[in-house]
Amino acid sequence: MTAWLQALPAVSVAAAMLLVPGLLVAVAAGLRGLTAIGLAPPLSVTTVACTAVAAGLVGVPFGVAAVVVGTVVTAGIAVAVSKVLPGTAPSRTSCPSVVAGLAGAAAGGMCAALAVVHGIGQPDVFPQTFDAVFHLSAVWQALHTHDASSLTMGTVAAPGNSSAFYPAAWHGLVVLVAEVSGAPIVVAVTAVSVAVSALVWPLGCVLLARQVAGSRPGVLFAAGVLSAAFGASPYLLLSYGTLWPNALANALLPATLACAARLLVPRDRAGQTDGFDRWRAGVFGAVALPGLALAHPNAVLSGLIYGTVMALVALGHWGLSARAGAQPRLVALGGAAALVGAGLWLVAWSPLFAATRHTSWPARQSLAQAVGEWVSAAPMRTPVPWLAAALVLVGCVVAWRRPQLRWLVLAHAAAGAAFVLVAGSDGPVARALSGPWYDDPFRFAALLGVTAVPLAALGLEAGAIAGVRGVRARSHRFPALRPLVATCGLAAVVATLTGGMYAGGNSHVVATWYHGQSLAGPAERAMLERLPQLVPSGELVAGNPWNGSPFASVLGDRAAVFPHVSGSWDPDRVLLASSLNRAEDLPEVCAAARRLDVGYVIDGSVAFWKGDHRQAQYRGLEVAGHPGFEPVAHGGRLTLYRVTACS
């Protein structure tokens, strides 16, 4: 626990970076209450990510100063745009709704933080997975080059290029946390994970619930509390993969979809009291999209699933309600067909996702099993949250009985159908439609909570109201508060019965990929952490990336020649990978080593993904027993050698 107390400043900085820039922009545009607070994280991510791109283009170092300037500029633009929009900016807020929503988000956030903290174990531990190698190396590079632009982040796996795109919003946030708090990179990564799950996700769920159910305090409180209940969201991608950027993007989805819901979905009078008109919903939704895309592009496509359902419902509502005859219905039908066709083309045939369509994961279960997992709110064998899953089913019934909420049930079914198709089928349809998500059922499973949370909140409120009606009240005082009090009470009971919204089971979801040590165990890590005393500053460290040597950067503050286990290497790196151990015989090897400033090499056996065919290209880095390499330090499987052949 002492280590977590020491990490608290980093967590606080992460929360501030995810909340403050966007909140300033929202308030400058005139937004207030839950709308401003709920939209703050996606607006913050857009501000940080776009500032990083702009700073890279003009040659300005990325950091806190650049983000401050970016926030001021974005806030100024928000003020100017708000003045030209029709109508007036929202100024009225419902105090009970704000208090209930924030209280629910705080309660759910505490449960989520507890699950993440227990799952990770110690703040300086990181999952030793394929993607984690890239992300940790990318943060180190961005921190040392002061460049966190998405236009250049891809050079981590293609260091011979001057530019290569990779969505870098998450990496920029980690860089800011490390810079401001002074925490090590791994602790900064952990801090962002805690803040994403305990702040961004519950606030977004509350905002989406507000657009679904209006300003009913009971639903808002329930949505905040229940946001922590589902193992698939927001916990799964914090560990699996490890897909930290995708986890951030998914956490931004509810708030972004709240804008789409306000813009597209017909609403009853109860939902029109927030003052968040369609003009502003469209503008702020558009502003949130760059942050969503630069966190992870497939989140935009995930949002397209829900947005398509909303648009189809809106077109159907307009076509059926029009009184002009058959022409509006034909227009609505044509618009729906065009919308679906454009979406299918974008996902299955557009060149934007041509590269990701080559990735394929075999089906892990039958279609029937996948359906059962989605219905029980436990996709990809995450723990079954029985009570929360039952509330989702009740919420589906409640929402379907209200025509203006049926889109939510249809959206939940659409996301479920995508998961079932990818998890249970290897057919051509599944392959074609899952390209942007790498044909990976885990990425679809992580979408569960986007619709499950508001549905469960509706179900919990319905249960509470039924309980109030079933008990004869002894007092007729404050009848309007009874549903709220009953909902809060029932939510407290659910939280108690489930052990803090299944915090124990959800911590196991986080811990699943955090406990491996196949790249760097304690002994290997101890040696890597000594690199600042062993390797002079400015000299690069070579090594087979599959044996853990890329962690020379994030743990030892020394640049690795191969910062990822797989990449597009330049000719000098290709030569070293195949022939460094022949440096005394091949002058061109030493020439390449000098051009790259390589003075040391880490050699040792591979324990990660043994037998992967890509490991063969690094056999030239097996220097043990070869002349021209002097052992300097040893730790577990790894030995550090100084390259004397090229002295």
Side-chain angles (χ1 to χ4, degrees), residues 244 339 403 421 531 597 602 618 630 633 645:
W244 289 309
L339 182 65
L421 185 65
L531 289 182
D597 293 323
I602 293 174
Y618 302 105
E630 176 187 339

Side-chain angles (χ1 to χ4, degrees), residues 594-605:
R594 292 190 186 99
R595 284 191 293 268
L596 293 174
D597 293 323
V598 177
Y600 291 79
V601 58
I602 293 174
D603 190 13
S605 60

Side-chain angles (χ1 to χ4, degrees), residues 156-563:
V156 173
N161 297 348
S162 59
S163 63
F165 176 81
Y166 192 89
W170 177 87
H171 307 84
L173 287 168
V174 177
V175 166
L176 293 174
V177 174
E179 177 187 329
V180 175
S181 68
I185 289 175
V186 175
V187 175
V189 168
T190 299
V192 171
S193 293
V194 174
V196 166
S197 56
L199 179 73
V200 177
W201 174 254
L203 286 178
C205 289
V206 169
L207 182 60
L208 181 57
R210 181 176 179 81
Q211 296 307 314
V212 167
S215 57
R216 293 178 355 228
V219 175
L220 302 182
F221 181 83
V225 176
L226 289 164
S227 66
F230 301 96
S233 310
Y235 311 105
L236 186 59
L237 299 187
L238 294 177
S239 182
Y240 167 76
T242 296
L243 307 178
W244 289 309
N246 212 156
L248 169 64
N250 281 13
L252 298 173
L253 263 178
T256 308
L257 290 175
C259 296
R262 181 64 189 95
L263 181 65
L264 297 172
V265 177
R267 307 167 73 195
D268 60 4
R269 294 180 59 188
Q272 297 175 351
T273 60
D274 58 3
F276 189 41
D277 60 59
R278 290 184 171 179
W279 283 99
R280 285 168 179 79
V283 169
F284 280 99
V287 173
L289 278 180
L292 195 65
L294 295 179
H296 203 291
N298 76 23
V300 178
L301 274 297
S302 300
L304 182 65
I305 295 175
Y306 303 108
T308 299
V309 173
M310 296 178 194
L312 291 176
V313 170
L315 283 170
H317 182 271
W318 174 77
L320 293 176
S321 62
R323 298 181 178 180
Q327 185 175 0
R329 293 179 175 84
L330 290 176
V331 172
L333 185 61
L339 182 65
V340 173
L344 291 175
W345 175 85
L346 180 63
V347 169
W349 292 288
S350 75
L352 287 175
F353 302 100
T356 60
R357 292 191 193 102
H358 294 296
T359 305
S360 178
W361 293 93
R364 298 170 181 262
Q365 56 201 308
S366 68
L367 291 171
Q369 287 173 317
V371 171
E373 287 187 351
W374 190 265
V375 172
S376 61
M380 300 314 297
R381 295 173 176 82
T382 51
V384 180
W386 293 107
L387 193 50
L391 291 174
V392 172
L393 296 178
V394 174
C396 287
V397 175
V398 172
W400 192 258
R401 295 175 65 183
R402 302 174 186 174
Q404 73 276 11
L405 295 182
R406 288 178 181 172
W407 70 268
L408 185 60
V409 182
L410 296 174
H412 188 66
F419 165 75
V420 169
L421 185 65
V422 176
S425 172
D426 287 324
V429 175
R431 289 287 306 277
L433 297 181
S434 62
W437 296 268
Y438 300 87
D439 192 36
D440 188 355
F442 281 91
R443 298 178 194 253
F444 285 100
L447 299 175
L448 171 85
V450 174
T451 47
V453 170
L455 285 169
L458 290 171
L460 190 143
E461 187 207 39
I465 292 176
V468 169
R469 291 174 178 172
V471 177
R472 178 175 297 180
R474 296 185 178 181
S475 171
H476 295 286
R477 299 175 63 187
F478 311 115
L481 292 179
R482 287 177 194 158
L484 172 60
V485 173
T487 302
C488 293
L490 184 56
V493 171
V494 171
T496 303
L497 292 176
T498 58
M501 289 297 161
Y502 305 96
N506 292 332
S507 70
H508 288 297
V509 174
V510 177
T512 301
W513 287 274
Y514 259 89
H515 288 170
Q517 296 182 345
S518 57
L519 283 168
E524 292 83 8
R525 180 166 180 166
M527 190 202 75
L528 292 170
E529 290 173 342
R530 291 174 54 211
L531 289 182
Q533 291 79 48
L534 301 172
V535 178
S537 177
E539 293 203 23
L540 273 67
V541 179
N544 182 344
W546 295 83
N547 67 14
S549 61
F551 296 144
S553 60
V554 69
L555 295 177
D557 200 34
R558 292 296 181 263
V561 176
F562 301 99

Side-chain angles (χ1 to χ4, degrees), residues 563-631:
H564 189 33
V565 292
S566 180
S568 177
W569 310 125
D570 55 84
D572 282 347
R573 284 177 169 81
V574 171
L575 179 61
L576 294 184
S578 64
S579 308
L580 179 61
N581 53 14
R582 299 178 59 194
E584 285 203 343
D585 302 328
L586 300 176
E588 61 269 27
V589 172
C590 282
R594 292 190 186 99
R595 284 191 293 268
L596 293 174
D597 293 323
V598 177
Y600 291 79
V601 58
I602 293 174
D603 190 13
S605 60
V606 173
F608 178 76
W609 289 16
K610 290 182 179 181
D612 190 290
H613 68 91
R614 289 168 289 187
Q615 298 171 13
Q617 64 181 303
Y618 302 105
R619 286 176 180 165
L621 299 170
E622 298 171 359
V623 300
H626 289 261
F629 300 93
E630 176 187 339

